[in-house]
């Protein structure tokens, strides 16, 4: 007898929703066991939690890289949908009252209006306000069809979701992504943040990115901040949104409190 997947169990009573979703372009069921960790993103200007980012983990807490590395290409769509629903379900169970930031795989989204249905159905089922959702498109994944990715982002923005470019400066597209569409948020990759207080090239690059984002009315999040010196330089540069181990480490199935005393 075939074991029910997480999506089929979550949407028990309306199996046609999942079945219809997985029929899209022949997507296969994702049967792996996943869990979610959460890491705070803080607004130091308002001294509040701006959002919690949902980070996928394996059944035993394995890292996102380990988990994604075991997902077959034909399961990518089911995996992406499972992560979205599980993030919303877990966040609501933990009593999250801030925004929820979810990574999505643009190569796994076929039709934006269709692929968002399970996400909205999950939010409705558990009572999570959909306007609190933030969708991060990672620069680390090579986007096979930039026009399609743009279509996804525009659809999400029209629905009132915040959008973000994750890992900015680390991957395949860089400034081209920012030029193609203007998200609400850009997350500086930790490679740019590391030791920025004593690295003039990184300082020059980040200063340029900040200037471009200000001109485009895009907010910047400094991601991967691990030291007081990094934080101090970035704060002096005008950044108010921060994420990283120095601010607060990810916690498995918990909403960790930021280290406010360090800010």
């Amino acid at each position: 007898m075939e074991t029910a997947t997480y999506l089929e169990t979550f949407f028990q009573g309306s199996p046609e929703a999942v079945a219809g979703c997985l029929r899209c372009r022949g997507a296969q069921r994702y049967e792996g066991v996943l869990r979610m960790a959460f890491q705070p993103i803080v607004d130091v200007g308002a001294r509040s939690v701006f959002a919690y980012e949902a980070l996928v983990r394996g059944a035993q807490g394995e890292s996102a890289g380990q988990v994604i590395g075991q997902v077959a290409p034909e399961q990518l769509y089911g995996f992406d949908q499972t992560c979205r629903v599980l993030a919303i379900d877990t966040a609501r169970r933990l009593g999250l009252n801030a925004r929820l930031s979810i990574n999505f795989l643009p190569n796994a989204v076929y039709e934006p209006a269709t692929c968002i249905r399970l996400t909205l159905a999950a939010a409705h089922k558990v009572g999570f306000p959909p306007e609190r959702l933030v969708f991060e498109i990672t620069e680390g994944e090579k986007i096979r069809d930039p026009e399609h990715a743009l279509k996804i982002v525009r659809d999400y923005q029209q629905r009132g979701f915040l959008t973000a470019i994750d890992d900015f400066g680390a991957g395949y597209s860089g400034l081209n992504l920012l030029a193609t569409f203007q998200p609400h948020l850009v997350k500086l990759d930790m490679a740019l943040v590391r030791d920025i207080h004593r690295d003039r090239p990184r300082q020059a690059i980040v200063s340029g990115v900040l200037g471009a984002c200000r001109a485009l009315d895009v907010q910047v999040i400094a991601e991967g901040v691990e030291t007081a010196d990094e934080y101090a330089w970035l704060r002096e540069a005008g950044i108010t949104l921060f994420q990283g181990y120095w601010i607060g480490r990810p916690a498995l199935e918990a909403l960790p409190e930021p280290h406010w005393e360090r800010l």
Side-chain angles (χ1 to χ4, degrees):
M1 182 177 180
E2 194 175 63
T3 304
T5 65
Y6 166 76
L7 285 180
E8 290 162 341
T9 301
F10 180 86
F11 287 106
Q12 190 172 17
S14 56
E16 67 283 350
V18 177
C21 183
L22 293 182
R23 278 197 299 268
C24 185
R25 300 202 184 181
Q28 288 188 9
R29 302 161 84 244
Y30 178 76
E31 299 178 354
V33 177
L34 302 176
R35 301 170 73 185
M36 282 290 161
F38 297 89
Q39 186 176 28
I41 302 170
V42 300
D43 183 336
V44 297
R47 200 167 179 80
S48 63
V49 174
F50 176 80
Y52 277 92
E53 181 179 1
L55 303 164
V56 68
R57 297 289 185 263
Q60 305 303 320
E62 297 90 342
S63 70
Q66 290 175 290
V67 173
I68 296 174
Q70 297 178 359
V71 179
E74 58 272 15
Q75 295 178 319
L76 198 61
Y77 179 79
F79 172 77
D80 183 69
Q81 293 291 325
T82 299
C83 288
R84 295 175 183 223
V85 174
L86 180 61
I88 293 170
D89 185 18
T90 308
R92 192 55 172 170
R93 177 167 52 81
L94 295 173
L96 177 63
N97 290 317
R99 296 178 182 88
L100 174 63
S101 193
I102 299 174
N103 292 278
F104 77 94
L105 305 173
N107 294 333
V109 176
Y110 301 131
E111 293 297 333
T114 301
C115 297
I116 198 66
R117 288 178 185 171
L118 284 189
T119 307
L120 295 175
H124 176 75
K125 180 173 180 177
V126 302
F128 188 89
E131 63 271 16
R132 291 186 190 167
L133 294 175
V134 183
F135 287 98
E136 299 185 19
I137 180 173
T138 177
E139 193 196 330
E141 181 190 14
K142 187 173 183 178
I143 298 173
R144 293 193 296 264
D145 185 348
E147 285 299 317
H148 180 60
L150 177 60
K151 180 181 177 182
I152 297 167
V153 173
R154 285 177 173 165
D155 181 86
Y156 286 4
Q157 289 176 337
Q158 289 171 0
R159 294 174 185 273
F161 301 133
L162 294 185
T163 57
I165 298 176
D166 192 16
D167 303 322
F168 187 84
Y172 293 91
S173 303
L175 293 172
N176 285 335
L177 268 178
L178 184 60
T180 302
F181 70 89
Q182 288 70 59
H184 300 95
L185 301 156
V186 157
K187 300 180 75 174
L188 293 176
D189 184 74
M190 64 178 64
L192 288 175
V193 168
R194 191 63 61 246
D195 293 328
I196 193 170
H197 58 287
R198 59 187 181 194
D199 191 308
R200 289 186 63 192
R202 284 181 171 81
Q203 292 173 6
I205 292 168
V206 169
S207 295
V209 171
L210 289 175
C213 286
R214 290 191 188 105
L216 296 171
D217 198 25
V218 175
Q219 286 187 283
V220 173
I221 299 173
E223 187 177 28
V225 178
E226 293 188 352
T227 70
D229 288 333
E230 291 170 354
Y231 170 76
W233 192 94
L234 293 161
R235 185 71 185 91
E236 182 67 22
I239 294 177
T240 59
L241 298 177
F242 288 87
Q243 181 179 5
Y245 282 5
W246 198 73
I247 311 296
R249 288 177 175 268
L252 189 63
E253 296 178 349
L255 302 175
E257 186 70 14
H259 294 295
W260 295 115
E261 73 282 359
R262 296 178 176 178
L263 304 177

